Amino acid sequence: MKKYFLPILIALSALSISAAAAYYSVTGLAKLFAGVETAVIWMASSLEVAKLVVASLLYQYWKELNKLLKTYLIIALVTLMIITSAGIYGYLSSGYQDVANKTGVVDKEIALVDNRIKTQESSKEFTLEQLKQTQQSIAQLRGALGNNNQTYKDKDGNILTTTSSANRKSYEKQLEFALNGEKTLNDKISILDSTLLVLSEEKLAKESNAELAGELGPLKYIAKLTGTAMDKIINWFLMIIIFVFDPLAISLVIAANFAFTQLKKPEQLAIYDEKPVEPVVVELQPTPPPAPPTPTKSWYNYVPPVFKRKKEDDDTIITY
């Protein structure tokens, strides 16, 4: 089983990435052609399956296919990869756009709160300036009341000090009015402080929106760090994803075909810790030396036959 583990793992990885790419692509194309959504889903699904089949076909029968068919299949495969990548881009960009729209609404709400805060702060500054002037007037009136004395000399040359009741009443009325104005301004400042506190809490709640912070927090941080608009950053990420997603799926399909093909080769058995087939050794017997040639008869070693006569039942037997 060890030798099948890696090929099966490659095949499962290829199928999972291909399935994810197909889902994103089909969903993105369905959103693009919302009027015929069902037809687009069937068409895009069949094209996604055909893409994987074409990739396997080109690898398995590369040498057997003629040039014309091979060229067409390559062009069709590349075109289907582009269509899939476009569908993935549309799906992911649509998801980002939904979050970006929410963020845009929240940003506008935060801007409105900022304007209200600025208005309240301006009103507070103006009120503080009025309070300062009123307090100065109160100090002057109190000083005038303390110095409401008039000195003059009588006919005998004596210096007399008197107070003007009319001036005193006028100063007291002005002082009372100034004190009431001071109290009103202090109450107004307290109300403005309370309003600013509520607006600041509202702004903080909108800025720390947990859902949006989790979805766009890293992108906002990168945008602030690089000084680049968030739309450009998300576009770069989407381009990187689509250039890796579908080509990786096709590459893994081809790799799975290659891995299963290698299982059939006996020289690959050693990779999976199996014993290779031992060669059969045939022991060859040594060839015996050739026998010496048989001597031939010649005239100088000719031996004449010996004739013997034997009498047996009147039969004559001649032997050599």
Side-chain angles (χ1 to χ4, degrees), residues 153-316:
K153 290 180 181 181
D154 59 5
K155 60 182 180 176
D156 297 329
N158 297 320
I159 299 175
L160 301 175
T161 302
T162 60
T163 59
S164 175
S165 59
N167 289 339
R168 184 175 182 83
K169 289 181 180 180
S170 176
Y171 290 151
E172 286 177 351
K173 287 183 179 180
Q174 293 180 27
L175 181 61
E176 183 182 1
F177 180 78
L179 289 173
N180 290 332
E182 182 185 23
K183 183 178 181 303
T184 302
L185 291 173
N186 284 327
D187 293 340
K188 185 177 180 181
I189 290 173
S190 298
I191 295 173
L192 290 172
D193 286 337
S194 299
T195 304
L196 287 172
L197 179 61
V198 172
L199 292 175
S200 298
E201 291 177 352
E202 183 180 353
K203 179 182 177 181
L204 181 62
K206 292 182 180 299
E207 288 178 341
S208 60
N209 189 314
E211 181 181 358
L212 295 178
E215 293 175 349
L216 294 179
L219 293 177
K220 286 185 176 180
Y221 176 76
I222 296 175
K224 186 181 295 184
L225 184 65
T226 58
T228 308
M230 194 163 59
D231 290 339
K232 290 185 178 180
I233 292 177
I234 195 65
N235 189 60
W236 293 345
F237 274 112
L238 292 179
M239 296 301 291
I240 292 173
I241 290 172
I242 65 173
F243 278 126
V244 172
F245 210 140
D246 201 51
L248 178 61
I250 298 300
S251 300
L252 286 176
V253 169
I254 296 174
N257 280 274
F258 173 78
F260 282 108
T261 303
Q262 294 303 305
L263 293 177
K264 301 176 182 179
K265 296 184 178 181
E267 59 268 18
Q268 296 295 326
L269 296 178
I271 299 178
Y272 302 100
D273 298 331
E274 292 190 5
K275 295 182 179 180
V277 179
E278 296 183 357
V280 178
V281 179
V282 178
E283 295 183 0
L284 299 177
Q285 297 295 332
T287 304
T294 303
T296 58
K297 294 181 179 181
S298 58
W299 62 271
Y300 55 82
N301 56 6
Y302 175 76
V303 178
V306 177
F307 295 95
K308 293 182 179 181
R309 298 186 66 181
K310 186 177 180 180
K311 182 74 175 176
E312 288 183 7
D313 299 329
D314 295 332
D315 290 333
T316 302

Side-chain angles (χ1 to χ4, degrees), residues 76-106:
L77 181 62
V78 173
T79 304
L80 290 175
M81 290 174 63
I82 294 173
I83 293 174
T84 302
S85 299
I88 295 172
Y89 183 86
Y91 178 82
L92 296 179
S93 61
S94 175
Y96 164 73
Q97 195 61 42
D98 293 339
V99 180
N101 290 335
K102 295 179 183 178
T103 306
V105 173
V106 173

Side-chain angles (χ1 to χ4, degrees), residues 136-152:
Q136 291 176 354
S137 298
I138 291 172
Q140 292 175 358
L141 289 171
R142 284 175 176 171
L145 283 174
N147 297 326
N148 188 23
N149 296 325
Q150 295 180 355
T151 60
Y152 63 92

Side-chain angles (χ1 to χ4, degrees), residues 116-125 192 195-196 199:
R116 293 173 60 189
I117 290 175
K118 289 179 181 179
T119 302
Q120 297 296 322
E121 288 177 347
S122 299
S123 179
K124 181 180 178 181
E125 290 178 0
L192 290 172
T195 304
L196 287 172
L199 292 175

